[in-house]
Amino acid sequence: MSDMMTTQAGDAGAFRHFDLNRVPAPCFVVDKKAIERNLSILSGVGTRSGAHVLCALKAFSMFSLAPLVRQYLAGTCASGIYEARLGREDYGGEVATFCAGYKGADIDEILSLSDHIIFNSPAQKNRFLAKAQAAGVQVGLRINPEHSEGEIPKYDPCAPCSRLGMPVSQLTAATLTGVDGLHMHTLCEQGVEPLLRTWEAVQPKLAPFMSRLKWLNFGGGHHITRDDYDRDGLVAFIRDIRKTYDIDVYLEPGEAVALNAGILVGEILDLPTNGMNLAITDISATCHMPDVIEAPYRPALMGEAEAGHTYRLGGPSCLAGDVIGDYTWDHPLEIGQRFVFLDQAHYSMVKTNTFNGVPLPAIALWNSETDDLKIIKQFGYDDFRQRLS
Ligand SMILES: Cc1ncc(COP(=O)(O)O)c(C=O)c1O
């Protein structure tokens, strides 16, 4: 979840048939079959359009599935030195790294791990250009198309005074010295229409420079694996760009790789009342689903009833605002009962933390076709302690 949403749409899919008592709680359970379905759709778009489709590790970096991802996608996009290393070492294929600010101390390692290094400003590009060229790494510049398609400024890289990307109105031949490609990332959980409108707005400003570019990278935010996404429209758009300008096109979907492919299983710990029914759970908004507070959004509960028994769910931490939301069941809750938040494979697992020493959720891989289940990882006290000193 990288966007402002009040309520997430719920699609339980095969998880309806998953026995929640097969895993410890809390636990992320990812359905390999659902990931493979998404990857196959993305790979189809790549094949039909000729685009290089990279997996955005910031959204989903469950590296135990790297061999599967590699079968379908061209590589990964990284947000900095650690993701670049994960992409290079575990996933293989191409690694495109974009970071809003690179440090001199890291640049040699980042270059050794990346095929593309994308800079956020001409100043950063100029500072590291010679090193990138000497390392044989292609150089990109992120632009800000100055065309907003997002409604919430916090999530809009084109909002006034955004620090992300060089405003396209500042583009000159000099700013493009040594640049092989341009990058733009402005969408969030969106269809193809906002992409087309963005291109329409930015294309006239890029036209004078297109002949010197080797590639265009349209970032992430494309909800390509959603049922109602116009994939034919995207394929036609990319084919047209490739043909018109004779360049390569890159896409960096993250959420689309793991959309509707994972759940977070929790357990009810206590059922106090204070003006309404409350439920304390072992899932913490602030530790396990921080976007619930940060975005904010209301994660979908599997099997939520329209009417019945409503509880305000919150985590075990001391934070008064560690509240997930108000949810309704068709039966009264019981202590020890399991429950599930849907669509938690992306932007939750990558954002967990151990504030208050709250234990991290385990990670399990399930195959909804074979019913095979593996608990991939369980965390303990050492994971909490090693981040402190
Ligand atoms: C540069 C860049 N690429 C790719 C992505 C992945 O976006 P999404 O997960 O929405 O597809 C993001 C998300 O913030 C991003 O900033």
Side-chain angles (χ1 to χ4, degrees):
M1 190 69 40
S2 57
D3 193 8
M4 167 76 187
M5 291 176 69
T6 48
T7 300
Q8 178 199 49
D11 179 2
F15 287 110
R16 256 184 225 97
H17 311 294
F18 182 75
D19 175 0
L20 305 184
N21 291 308
R22 293 174 75 189
V23 291
C27 185
F28 291 106
V29 184
V30 172
D31 178 4
K32 187 175 177 189
K33 208 64 215 163
I35 297 283
E36 198 161 10
R37 170 199 170 268
N38 288 341
L39 289 171
S40 150
I41 291 172
L42 292 167
S43 152
V45 164
T47 307
R48 288 199 292 142
S49 67
H52 302 234
V53 183
L54 308 177
C55 174
L57 294 180
K58 71 186 74 189
F60 182 63
S61 45
M62 187 172 172
F63 54 84
S64 48
L65 287 178
L68 184 71
V69 173
R70 182 69 194 104
Q71 280 174 40
Y72 289 91
L73 303 187
T76 55
C77 88
S79 322
I81 189 164
Y82 293 160
E83 285 188 356
R85 182 167 167 191
L86 189 67
R88 175 62 77 219
E89 291 183 354
D90 284 66
Y91 287 76
E94 298 180 67
V95 177
T97 306
F98 162 77
C99 184
Y102 295 102
K103 295 172 75 161
D106 293 344
I107 199 71
D108 289 336
E109 187 175 344
I110 290 177
L111 288 170
S112 75
L113 298 166
S114 308
D115 297 285
H116 289 187
I117 184 160
I118 297 156
F119 294 101
N120 193 46
S121 71
Q124 278 253 307
K125 183 259 299 175
N126 292 339
R127 182 173 167 202
F128 298 119
L129 180 62
K131 277 187 176 247
Q133 287 179 333
V137 175
Q138 294 212 5
V139 170
L141 180 67
R142 177 167 175 171
I143 57 160
N144 167 354
E146 297 177 282
H147 169 88
S148 284
E149 288 288 345
E151 284 160 25
I152 311 297
K154 187 162 69 164
Y155 290 93
D156 178 10
C158 300
C161 308
S162 168
R163 75 187 200 295
L164 297 171
M166 188 191 69
V168 68
S169 54
Q170 295 176 19
L171 204 60
T172 61
T175 54
L176 286 179
T177 305
V179 167
D180 299 296
L182 292 178
H183 178 282
M184 59 191 93
H185 168 82
T186 61
L187 306 182
C188 194
E189 301 182 339
Q190 278 164 307
V192 79
E193 299 78 10
L195 175 64
L196 301 185
R197 288 195 293 271
T198 302
W199 180 246
E200 204 176 311
V202 84
Q203 189 274 341
K205 294 170 189 160
L206 297 184
F209 310 109
M210 288 301 293
S211 62
R212 55 200 292 166
L213 300 178
K214 296 191 181 109
W215 47 265
L216 269 180
N217 183 326
F218 287 103
H222 319 282
H223 246 194
I224 298 169
T225 50
R226 208 170 63 200
D227 287 345
D228 62 353
Y229 189 95
D230 177 10
R231 293 188 275 270
D232 290 342
L234 178 66
V235 167
F237 169 69
I238 294 169
R239 288 173 69 99
D240 185 47
I241 289 196
R242 290 184 55 235
K243 189 163 159 232
T244 309
Y245 301 107
D246 191 24
I247 52 171
D248 285 337
V249 170
Y250 285 78
L251 298 175
E252 303 176 338
E255 199 164 311
V257 175
L259 198 64
N260 289 319
I263 57 173
L264 181 53
V265 178
E267 190 173 303
I268 302 295
L269 306 180
D270 195 14
L271 295 166
T273 53
N274 181 12
M276 67 178 294
N277 289 327
L278 308 171
I280 309 292
T281 81
D282 60 0
I283 295 179
S284 160
T286 194
C287 299
H288 305 149
M289 304 187 292
D291 275 359
V292 166
I293 297 169
E294 203 180 308
Y297 82 104
R298 180 182 181 276
L301 177 81
M302 184 156 79
E304 187 173 13
E306 299 220 330
H309 305 265
T310 299
Y311 297 82
R312 179 158 299 169
L313 259 64
S317 82
C318 68
L319 178 73
D322 190 356
V323 170
I324 304 166
D326 293 355
Y327 292 90
T328 302
W329 274 263
D330 58 10
H331 55 273
L333 285 181
E334 284 172 23
I335 289 167
Q337 178 180 330
R338 296 281 171 98
F339 65 96
V340 162
F341 287 116
L342 298 172
D343 207 15
Q344 293 302 316
H346 53 82
Y347 290 112
S348 288
M349 205 189 293
V350 290
K351 282 193 156 193
T352 54
N353 64 77
T354 56
F355 176 54
N356 272 219
V358 172
L360 293 166
I363 297 174
L365 187 62
W366 178 53
N367 185 324
S368 57
E369 194 173 60
T370 61
D371 203 27
D372 187 40
L373 176 73
K374 284 193 192 74
I375 312 289
I376 304 272
K377 207 160 197 175
Q378 286 186 273
F379 301 92
Y381 173 68
D382 287 346
D383 298 290
F384 160 65
R385 189 173 185 276
Q386 71 165 7
R387 296 174 61 238
L388 304 168
S389 66

